[in-house]
Short mmCIF file of all heavy atoms in Angstrom, two decimals:
data_model
loop_
_atom_site.label_atom_id
_atom_site.label_comp_id
_atom_site.label_asym_id
_atom_site.label_seq_id
_atom_site.Cartn_x
_atom_site.Cartn_y
_atom_site.Cartn_z
N SER A 1 129.62 26.16 65.27
CA SER A 1 128.55 25.98 66.18
C SER A 1 127.51 25.10 65.61
O SER A 1 127.65 24.45 64.59
CB SER A 1 127.95 27.41 66.42
OG SER A 1 127.38 27.89 65.25
N ASP A 2 126.30 25.06 66.24
CA ASP A 2 125.21 24.22 65.70
C ASP A 2 124.62 24.88 64.50
O ASP A 2 124.19 24.16 63.57
CB ASP A 2 124.13 24.15 66.80
CG ASP A 2 123.04 23.14 66.41
OD1 ASP A 2 123.29 22.31 65.51
OD2 ASP A 2 121.96 23.14 67.02
N LEU A 3 124.63 26.19 64.38
CA LEU A 3 124.10 26.92 63.22
C LEU A 3 125.19 27.01 62.21
O LEU A 3 124.93 26.61 60.96
CB LEU A 3 123.69 28.31 63.69
CG LEU A 3 123.18 29.21 62.50
CD1 LEU A 3 121.89 28.61 61.90
CD2 LEU A 3 122.89 30.63 63.00
N LYS A 4 126.35 27.46 62.55
CA LYS A 4 127.45 27.64 61.57
C LYS A 4 128.32 26.36 61.60
O LYS A 4 129.37 26.30 62.12
CB LYS A 4 128.29 28.85 61.87
CG LYS A 4 127.49 30.18 61.81
CD LYS A 4 128.35 31.38 62.11
CE LYS A 4 127.53 32.68 62.00
NZ LYS A 4 128.34 33.85 62.32
N ASN A 5 127.73 25.35 60.89
CA ASN A 5 128.36 24.09 60.92
C ASN A 5 128.91 23.57 59.58
O ASN A 5 129.01 22.37 59.37
CB ASN A 5 127.38 22.98 61.50
CG ASN A 5 126.15 22.85 60.64
OD1 ASN A 5 125.95 23.50 59.62
ND2 ASN A 5 125.25 21.97 61.11
N ALA A 6 129.25 24.51 58.74
CA ALA A 6 130.00 24.29 57.51
C ALA A 6 129.38 23.64 56.30
O ALA A 6 129.50 24.12 55.20
CB ALA A 6 131.31 23.50 57.84
N VAL A 7 128.64 22.53 56.55
CA VAL A 7 128.08 21.78 55.47
C VAL A 7 126.64 21.28 55.68
O VAL A 7 126.27 21.14 56.86
CB VAL A 7 128.94 20.61 55.12
CG1 VAL A 7 130.25 21.07 54.44
CG2 VAL A 7 129.23 19.76 56.36
N HIS A 8 125.97 21.00 54.61
CA HIS A 8 124.56 20.46 54.68
C HIS A 8 124.59 19.29 53.75
O HIS A 8 125.29 19.20 52.74
CB HIS A 8 123.58 21.47 54.22
CG HIS A 8 122.25 20.89 53.88
ND1 HIS A 8 121.25 20.73 54.80
CD2 HIS A 8 121.70 20.44 52.65
CE1 HIS A 8 120.23 20.20 54.21
NE2 HIS A 8 120.41 20.01 52.95
N GLY A 9 123.72 18.26 54.20
CA GLY A 9 123.45 17.08 53.29
C GLY A 9 122.07 16.67 53.40
O GLY A 9 121.38 16.91 54.37
N SER A 10 121.58 16.04 52.34
CA SER A 10 120.21 15.55 52.26
C SER A 10 120.07 14.41 53.25
O SER A 10 120.87 13.52 53.44
CB SER A 10 119.89 15.03 50.87
OG SER A 10 120.11 16.05 49.87
N GLU A 11 118.88 14.41 53.95
CA GLU A 11 118.58 13.42 55.00
C GLU A 11 118.16 12.10 54.42
O GLU A 11 118.45 11.04 54.98
CB GLU A 11 117.55 13.96 55.94
CG GLU A 11 118.09 14.92 56.94
CD GLU A 11 118.98 14.31 58.00
OE1 GLU A 11 118.74 13.16 58.39
OE2 GLU A 11 119.92 14.96 58.35
N THR A 12 117.34 12.12 53.40
CA THR A 12 116.76 10.89 52.80
C THR A 12 116.78 10.98 51.30
O THR A 12 117.20 11.96 50.69
CB THR A 12 115.23 10.81 53.23
OG1 THR A 12 114.53 11.90 52.67
CG2 THR A 12 115.13 10.81 54.73
N PHE A 13 116.40 9.83 50.66
CA PHE A 13 116.39 9.76 49.24
C PHE A 13 115.45 10.80 48.61
O PHE A 13 115.80 11.47 47.64
CB PHE A 13 116.00 8.34 48.82
CG PHE A 13 116.11 8.10 47.23
CD1 PHE A 13 117.30 7.88 46.68
CD2 PHE A 13 114.96 8.19 46.49
CE1 PHE A 13 117.41 7.72 45.25
CE2 PHE A 13 115.06 8.05 45.11
CZ PHE A 13 116.27 7.77 44.54
N SER A 14 114.21 10.94 49.19
CA SER A 14 113.26 11.87 48.68
C SER A 14 113.73 13.25 48.87
O SER A 14 113.53 14.18 48.10
CB SER A 14 111.88 11.59 49.28
OG SER A 14 111.99 11.77 50.71
N ALA A 15 114.33 13.54 49.99
CA ALA A 15 114.91 14.89 50.22
C ALA A 15 116.04 15.21 49.28
O ALA A 15 116.10 16.27 48.79
CB ALA A 15 115.42 14.95 51.69
N ALA A 16 116.81 14.22 48.90
CA ALA A 16 117.91 14.43 47.99
C ALA A 16 117.26 14.81 46.59
O ALA A 16 117.83 15.70 45.93
CB ALA A 16 118.79 13.20 47.84
N GLU A 17 116.20 14.13 46.16
CA GLU A 17 115.64 14.51 44.85
C GLU A 17 115.13 15.87 44.85
O GLU A 17 115.30 16.62 43.90
CB GLU A 17 114.43 13.49 44.64
CG GLU A 17 114.92 12.13 44.25
CD GLU A 17 113.72 11.25 43.72
OE1 GLU A 17 112.62 11.25 44.38
OE2 GLU A 17 113.84 10.61 42.68
N ARG A 18 114.41 16.23 45.92
CA ARG A 18 113.87 17.65 46.06
C ARG A 18 114.95 18.65 46.07
O ARG A 18 114.88 19.67 45.36
CB ARG A 18 113.00 17.73 47.29
CG ARG A 18 112.34 19.11 47.45
CD ARG A 18 111.58 19.21 48.75
NE ARG A 18 112.42 19.24 49.89
CZ ARG A 18 113.03 20.28 50.35
NH1 ARG A 18 112.99 21.46 49.68
NH2 ARG A 18 113.82 20.26 51.37
N GLU A 19 115.99 18.41 46.87
CA GLU A 19 116.99 19.41 47.05
C GLU A 19 117.90 19.57 45.82
O GLU A 19 118.38 20.68 45.43
CB GLU A 19 117.89 19.09 48.27
CG GLU A 19 117.12 19.25 49.61
CD GLU A 19 117.86 18.86 50.79
OE1 GLU A 19 119.03 18.35 50.63
OE2 GLU A 19 117.35 19.01 51.91
N LEU A 20 118.14 18.45 45.15
CA LEU A 20 118.94 18.54 43.90
C LEU A 20 118.22 19.27 42.85
O LEU A 20 118.80 20.11 42.07
CB LEU A 20 119.28 17.10 43.40
CG LEU A 20 120.35 16.36 44.20
CD1 LEU A 20 120.34 14.88 43.85
CD2 LEU A 20 121.73 17.01 43.90
N LYS A 21 116.90 19.09 42.70
CA LYS A 21 116.07 19.85 41.74
C LYS A 21 116.03 21.34 42.10
O LYS A 21 115.97 22.16 41.26
CB LYS A 21 114.69 19.25 41.68
CG LYS A 21 114.52 17.90 41.00
CD LYS A 21 115.06 17.90 39.55
CE LYS A 21 114.13 18.70 38.60
NZ LYS A 21 114.52 18.62 37.23
N PHE A 22 116.07 21.59 43.42
CA PHE A 22 116.06 23.01 43.84
C PHE A 22 117.33 23.74 43.46
O PHE A 22 117.28 24.85 42.90
CB PHE A 22 115.85 23.09 45.38
CG PHE A 22 115.70 24.41 45.92
CD1 PHE A 22 114.40 24.89 46.22
CD2 PHE A 22 116.74 25.28 46.24
CE1 PHE A 22 114.20 26.15 46.75
CE2 PHE A 22 116.52 26.58 46.67
CZ PHE A 22 115.27 27.02 46.93
N MET A 23 118.47 23.11 43.63
CA MET A 23 119.73 23.72 43.37
C MET A 23 120.18 23.63 41.87
O MET A 23 120.85 24.42 41.40
CB MET A 23 120.81 23.15 44.23
CG MET A 23 120.69 23.47 45.75
SD MET A 23 120.88 25.23 45.97
CE MET A 23 120.45 25.36 47.76
N PHE A 24 119.69 22.50 41.26
CA PHE A 24 120.04 22.35 39.87
C PHE A 24 118.77 22.09 39.06
O PHE A 24 118.50 20.91 38.71
CB PHE A 24 121.00 21.15 39.73
CG PHE A 24 122.24 21.30 40.49
CD1 PHE A 24 122.40 20.66 41.77
CD2 PHE A 24 123.30 22.07 39.98
CE1 PHE A 24 123.60 20.82 42.50
CE2 PHE A 24 124.53 22.19 40.82
CZ PHE A 24 124.66 21.58 42.04
N PRO A 25 117.98 23.11 38.85
CA PRO A 25 116.62 22.91 38.25
C PRO A 25 116.59 22.30 36.84
O PRO A 25 115.54 21.72 36.46
CB PRO A 25 116.04 24.27 38.27
CG PRO A 25 117.21 25.27 38.38
CD PRO A 25 118.26 24.48 39.15
N ASN A 26 117.68 22.44 36.11
CA ASN A 26 117.73 21.91 34.77
C ASN A 26 118.20 20.46 34.72
O ASN A 26 118.31 19.84 33.61
CB ASN A 26 118.56 22.78 33.84
CG ASN A 26 117.94 24.17 33.70
OD1 ASN A 26 116.74 24.29 33.63
ND2 ASN A 26 118.76 25.15 33.66
N SER A 27 118.61 19.92 35.81
CA SER A 27 119.20 18.52 35.84
C SER A 27 118.02 17.50 35.84
O SER A 27 116.90 17.78 36.24
CB SER A 27 120.09 18.28 37.07
OG SER A 27 119.29 18.40 38.25
N ILE A 28 118.37 16.34 35.32
CA ILE A 28 117.41 15.16 35.30
C ILE A 28 117.85 14.25 36.39
O ILE A 28 118.99 13.67 36.31
CB ILE A 28 117.38 14.52 33.92
CG1 ILE A 28 117.01 15.55 32.81
CG2 ILE A 28 116.51 13.36 33.92
CD1 ILE A 28 117.06 14.94 31.45
N ILE A 29 117.06 14.04 37.36
CA ILE A 29 117.39 13.17 38.48
C ILE A 29 116.82 11.75 38.16
O ILE A 29 115.64 11.55 38.14
CB ILE A 29 116.70 13.67 39.81
CG1 ILE A 29 117.10 15.15 40.04
CG2 ILE A 29 117.27 12.85 41.00
CD1 ILE A 29 118.60 15.39 40.08
N GLU A 30 117.69 10.85 37.86
CA GLU A 30 117.31 9.55 37.52
C GLU A 30 118.46 8.60 38.02
O GLU A 30 119.58 9.02 38.25
CB GLU A 30 117.06 9.41 36.00
CG GLU A 30 118.32 9.74 35.12
CD GLU A 30 118.06 9.69 33.66
OE1 GLU A 30 116.81 9.66 33.28
OE2 GLU A 30 118.98 9.65 32.88
N PRO A 31 118.15 7.30 38.21
CA PRO A 31 119.13 6.37 38.62
C PRO A 31 120.34 6.30 37.67
O PRO A 31 120.19 6.38 36.47
CB PRO A 31 118.43 5.03 38.70
CG PRO A 31 116.97 5.38 38.73
CD PRO A 31 116.84 6.68 37.96
N ILE A 32 121.52 6.10 38.23
CA ILE A 32 122.71 5.87 37.44
C ILE A 32 122.88 4.34 37.22
O ILE A 32 123.01 3.58 38.19
CB ILE A 32 124.00 6.47 38.07
CG1 ILE A 32 123.80 7.95 38.34
CG2 ILE A 32 125.20 6.13 37.31
CD1 ILE A 32 124.90 8.59 39.15
N LEU A 33 122.82 3.92 36.00
CA LEU A 33 122.80 2.50 35.75
C LEU A 33 124.20 1.86 35.98
O LEU A 33 125.26 2.51 35.65
CB LEU A 33 122.39 2.24 34.35
CG LEU A 33 120.91 2.65 33.95
CD1 LEU A 33 120.68 2.46 32.53
CD2 LEU A 33 119.94 1.94 34.87
N GLN A 34 124.24 0.63 36.50
CA GLN A 34 125.50 -0.04 36.72
C GLN A 34 125.30 -1.48 36.38
O GLN A 34 124.18 -1.96 36.33
CB GLN A 34 125.96 0.05 38.21
CG GLN A 34 126.24 1.46 38.73
CD GLN A 34 127.60 1.93 38.29
OE1 GLN A 34 128.55 1.24 38.35
NE2 GLN A 34 127.63 3.09 37.65
N GLY A 35 126.40 -2.25 36.19
CA GLY A 35 126.32 -3.63 36.00
C GLY A 35 125.50 -4.09 34.78
O GLY A 35 125.60 -3.45 33.66
#
């Protein structure tokens, strides 16, 4: 259904930062370096 829809995902970059810190409070959210 609309409510029971199996999965959730962050809408924006700022939302992802906030939600990751909420679920993983001891993690360090920083860019992953490439190249």
Side-chain angles (χ1 to χ4, degrees):
S1 67
D2 190 16
L3 178 65
K4 298 181 179 180
N5 60 0
V7 288
H8 164 87
S10 305
E11 282 292 323
T12 63
F13 185 81
S14 59
E17 286 190 313
R18 181 185 68 81
E19 293 178 355
L20 286 167
K21 289 298 290 184
F22 187 97
M23 292 295 172
F24 303 99
N26 296 323
S27 63
I28 299 174
I29 309 301
E30 59 186 14
I32 301 174
L33 299 175
Q34 296 285 309

